[in-house]
Amino acid sequence: MRKYNIAVVGATGAVGEELFRVMTEMKFPVNKILPLTSSRSAGTDISFGGQKYKAVELTEDVFKDADIHIAFFSAGGSISEKYAKFAVESGAVVIDNTSHFRMDDDIPLVVPEVNPEDIMLYKNRGIIANPNCSTIQMVQSLKPLDDLYGITRVDVSTYQAASGAGKEGMAELVQQMQDFFAFKLEDTEVKAFAHRLALNVIPHIDVPQPNGFTKEEMKMVNETQKIMHKKMQIAATCVRVPVLRSHSESITITFGQDVDLEESREALANFENMKLIDDISKNEYPMPMTATDTDYTYVGRVRKDIYQNNMLHLWNVADQVRVGAATNSVRIAQKLIEMENL
Ligand code: A2P
């Protein structure tokens, strides 16, 4: 089996570190890795596949002669904007985890369980975009139901973990909890989020938009329509909660026809990389602690609306650092290799 040279831009970040774990667990065929960071972390030891690598500073020339086949970018939109082209020029395919390219018409936005065929559009610019974490786990739940009944509208509220804001977000929540137990909560530092997150929930993720929604909420609208190739109506309310890892979502789905509850549950249970946990009489439903450190998207609390026969309500949870970022990227790379015989 052929092996690949892989660059990871943002190798010391929350998603970058997870990429190495996921590639190991999925036995991704790696020949060598090139871990890239800012000058701050250059020289840091990175272990992968029984070998030690040193992180290298990301520069315009770093891809030249490195013979990279696939470059994962997870260091923020401005870094992808500036450096992705150098990776592509060197012959690599870029799989980008930031929002920078997602809505460009000629760049595919891919969740492999939902729209694998779009991967081939990478030929346009050498780049495949990885969607927003909240979008990925939602479209995975929508797809099997859309295939059955045709979705016309989605209303979603998210419960998003601190790790969505990277390592800094997690560290800030832990520090705030420590300050609470030390009776110092009033003086705790608030930097990663708009307000203190410990013992609080914040209905505000990313910057406000002129229409009253936030950028995160509009990502869920626009990205879902692009991935599903469908202009269904969508309204999102994105909320940060004091959970370290794994996002949850309460989703209400309206269809063009009446739905059957058992058939819906079966379709969800059989969908690729999805698990249905749904027996509230036994306290069984997915929670962040169910999903964390796993590669599944979990669905539960599936209910038919009590007024309308064409509506379902469900609850969905996934480890957003994995399913919502690292795992989705590696799954894209696996499919790309398979489809292109790279
Ligand atoms: P560094 O360790 O050098 O700061 P997170 O999302 O967890 O905050 O991680 C962000 C990742 O992006 C880190 O690996 C970080 O590396 C990397 N990064 C941040 N700024 C740059 C930059 N200017 N060039 C390359 N990598 C960067």
Side-chain angles (χ1 to χ4, degrees):
M1 185 193 225
R2 188 165 168 209
K3 293 191 167 183
Y4 300 87
N5 299 336
I6 305 291
V8 176
V9 179
T12 45
V15 174
E17 286 181 353
E18 204 62 42
L19 267 165
F20 294 122
R21 276 194 281 273
V22 171
M23 283 193 286
T24 305
E25 288 170 26
M26 289 190 173
K27 299 190 171 43
F28 192 83
V30 176
N31 177 45
K32 66 163 188 184
I33 62 162
L34 175 61
L36 297 166
T37 62
S38 75
S39 55
R40 293 181 294 275
S41 297
T44 306
D45 283 328
I46 310 267
S47 300
F48 179 80
Q51 291 199 50
K52 272 212 177 342
Y53 295 86
K54 291 253 181 248
V56 176
E57 183 183 354
L58 174 67
T59 61
E60 294 182 2
D61 294 330
V62 80
F63 298 101
K64 264 189 201 154
D65 307 321
D67 192 24
I68 296 300
H69 302 112
I70 295 172
F72 295 106
F73 273 69
S74 290
S78 59
I79 301 297
S80 294
E81 178 180 16
K82 187 162 173 207
Y83 293 97
K85 58 175 176 282
F86 298 109
V88 173
E89 274 167 25
S90 79
V93 177
V94 167
I95 299 179
D96 185 38
N97 259 305
T98 76
S99 60
H100 185 70
F101 298 106
R102 284 184 195 147
M103 293 313 296
D104 289 9
D105 281 342
D106 52 355
I107 299 243
L109 183 65
V110 176
V111 178
E113 297 87 345
V114 179
N115 61 333
E117 65 284 354
D118 287 347
I119 285 176
M120 295 311 287
L121 299 173
Y122 86 90
K123 288 183 175 162
N124 292 339
R125 284 169 65 188
I127 301 171
I128 302 169
N130 194 73
N132 177 262
C133 46
S134 311
T135 307
I136 293 176
Q137 67 187 76
M138 182 167 84
V139 295
Q140 288 173 329
S141 311
L142 298 183
K143 170 71 176 161
L145 300 172
D146 186 50
D147 287 347
L148 276 179
Y149 308 121
I151 295 173
T152 56
R153 184 176 170 99
V154 177
D155 291 276
V156 56
S157 292
T158 68
Y159 304 66
Q160 296 183 223
S163 44
K167 281 185 177 174
E168 263 177 45
M170 279 192 275
E172 183 160 313
L173 176 58
V174 169
Q175 184 59 50
Q176 290 176 352
M177 293 304 291
Q178 284 170 341
D179 287 346
F180 168 72
F181 287 111
F183 303 101
K184 293 192 302 192
L185 194 57
E186 294 317 311
D187 303 322
T188 200
E189 189 180 31
V190 173
K191 211 167 109 196
F193 308 107
H195 300 274
R196 188 191 80 217
L197 185 58
L199 307 170
N200 197 16
V201 297
I202 307 172
H204 172 184
I205 302 181
D206 215 331
V207 293
Q209 303 295 290
N211 64 4
F213 287 85
T214 65
K215 196 168 171 193
E216 181 86 352
E217 290 160 353
M218 291 314 296
K219 282 179 197 168
M220 292 191 77
V221 174
N222 298 324
E223 293 180 17
T224 299
Q225 291 177 344
K226 177 168 174 176
I227 296 162
M228 298 193 66
H229 299 284
K230 197 169 173 174
K231 290 270 175 210
M232 73 263 265
Q233 297 179 354
I234 305 172
T237 304
C238 291
V239 182
R240 189 74 69 190
V241 296
V243 166
L244 278 175
R245 193 155 151 158
S246 294
H247 291 351
S248 308
E249 299 177 338
S250 167
I251 312 175
T252 293
I253 312 164
T254 309
F255 301 89
Q257 55 179 294
D258 290 355
V259 301
D260 179 80
L261 184 59
E262 276 321 303
E263 190 178 44
S264 304
R265 297 168 97 250
E266 204 181 307
L268 290 163
N270 291 332
F271 195 63
E272 199 182 346
N273 299 322
M274 178 162 283
K275 284 190 192 230
L276 179 76
I277 302 180
D278 198 12
D279 190 349
I280 197 167
S281 68
K282 295 189 185 136
N283 301 340
E284 288 176 0
Y285 30 74
M287 296 173 284
M289 60 189 268
T290 320
T292 294
D293 287 329
T294 80
D295 290 319
Y296 291 101
T297 296
Y298 297 83
V299 179
R301 303 293 325 277
V302 186
R303 287 148 291 156
K304 234 176 127 161
D305 191 67
I306 54 175
Y307 304 101
Q308 306 220 90
N309 283 328
N310 64 338
M311 270 176 112
L312 279 178
H313 305 275
L314 57 85
W315 175 251
N316 129 334
V317 188
D319 182 331
Q320 94 288 355
V321 185
R322 292 182 76 118
V323 174
T327 304
N328 198 67
S329 299
V330 176
R331 285 176 179 152
I332 290 173
Q334 281 178 325
K335 272 261 166 357
L336 173 71
I337 288 170
E338 199 183 293
M339 290 166 101
E340 268 298 63
N341 218 357
L342 274 190

